[in-house]
Amino acid sequence: MKNHLRQEMKRRLAAIAPADIAARSHAACQSLIASEEFRRSRCVMLYMPMPHEASPLAAAMAAWQQDKIVLVPKVDMQQRHMIAVRISGMGDEMVISGRYAIREPASSEPWPLEEIDLVVVPALAYDRDGNRLGRGAGFYDRFLGHSRMRAIACGLALSEQVVEQVPTAGNDWPVNMLVTDKEIMRFIAQAPRRPAGQGETYDTAC
């Protein structure tokens, strides 16, 4: 079921013109920037967008303007591990990494997880219970589920990415809120914290 939904969402997103994605990403970011969760966060982690994906870069620019600490992810595909690394601007040295050719900081100095206030996460789909469907590698599930993580997890997406139900497994980690170009959703239920990396298995399909 997950793979079928992944393929459907990839087709759905590929059908949206890049200019439309850019405009609607900006609208979603404006809602995120205006949210209480963003305003009160001192340290914000955002992702570097892939093609056909909602972009959080307008939120990153606003965070720098508000003197917030901005972090982005860096992954180790072999170790199946992701860390948060600080960047001071889009001019920072970056490298292209992984099969998705995502831009990552050249630095590998990890930021302490307990000091992150808000993590803006990508996904292919979300439902109205806060469940998210990633690309299958489990990086964000492990990262958000770490025992030292206390940040609010916030999805950023286009309205087409909200579906009736996302299939879930025990190792899937939900978000606390979801911001799209049309609405903000906040979810009361939050999965209990658990230590990361204790016998967990992940769907590795992309």
Side-chain angles (χ1 to χ4, degrees):
M1 291 182 64
K2 285 189 176 184
N3 285 340
H4 176 77
L5 182 56
R6 283 191 182 101
Q7 296 307 315
E8 170 59 28
M9 297 309 300
K10 288 177 182 179
R11 286 192 293 269
R12 191 179 296 185
L13 290 170
I16 305 174
D20 194 17
I21 291 179
R24 294 168 61 193
S25 294
H26 185 79
C29 283
Q30 293 309 304
S31 294
L32 173 61
I33 293 164
S35 71
E36 180 183 357
E37 290 86 354
F38 186 89
R39 291 199 309 268
R40 70 188 183 200
S41 294
R42 186 185 70 88
C43 180
V44 180
M45 181 176 177
L46 306 108
Y47 59 92
M48 300 301 292
M50 297 171 54
H52 307 292
E53 185 171 64
S55 171
L57 297 185
M61 296 301 296
W64 282 313
Q65 291 169 0
Q66 297 173 26
D67 293 323
K68 298 181 188 295
I69 294 167
V70 176
L71 314 173
V72 295
K74 183 166 186 172
V75 303
D76 183 329
M77 293 299 294
Q78 292 185 337
Q79 298 295 321
R80 316 296 290 173
H81 179 64
M82 184 170 83
I83 61 172
V85 176
R86 184 176 185 176
I87 60 173
S88 58
M90 296 311 297
D92 281 15
E93 184 180 359
M94 294 281 183
V95 296
I96 304 299
S97 178
R99 57 182 169 179
Y100 299 121
I102 298 174
R103 295 178 68 207
E104 295 183 339
S107 169
S108 297
E109 184 67 29
W111 193 264
L113 296 182
E114 60 271 20
E115 295 183 11
I116 306 173
D117 300 308
L118 178 68
V119 181
V120 179
V121 304
L124 287 169
Y126 294 92
D127 64 24
R128 292 182 178 275
D129 291 320
N131 298 307
R132 62 178 290 274
L133 179 72
R135 294 181 181 270
F139 285 109
Y140 276 95
D141 294 309
R142 287 189 288 273
F143 186 80
L144 296 173
H146 197 283
S147 60
R148 290 192 287 116
M149 176 62 70
R150 293 293 180 268
I152 294 170
C154 174
L156 185 74
L158 306 181
S159 58
E160 286 89 342
Q161 294 175 261
V162 181
V163 300
E164 182 176 349
Q165 184 177 22
V166 168
T168 62
N171 47 30
D172 294 328
W173 202 261
V175 293
N176 304 106
M177 60 185 293
L178 173 61
V179 180
T180 76
D181 52 310
K182 293 186 177 179
E183 60 184 326
I184 295 181
M185 289 172 264
R186 293 177 173 87
F187 311 106
I188 297 175
Q190 180 180 351
R193 295 290 175 189
R194 66 176 185 277
Q198 295 188 354
E200 296 161 337
T201 58
Y202 291 86
D203 175 8
T204 57
C206 63

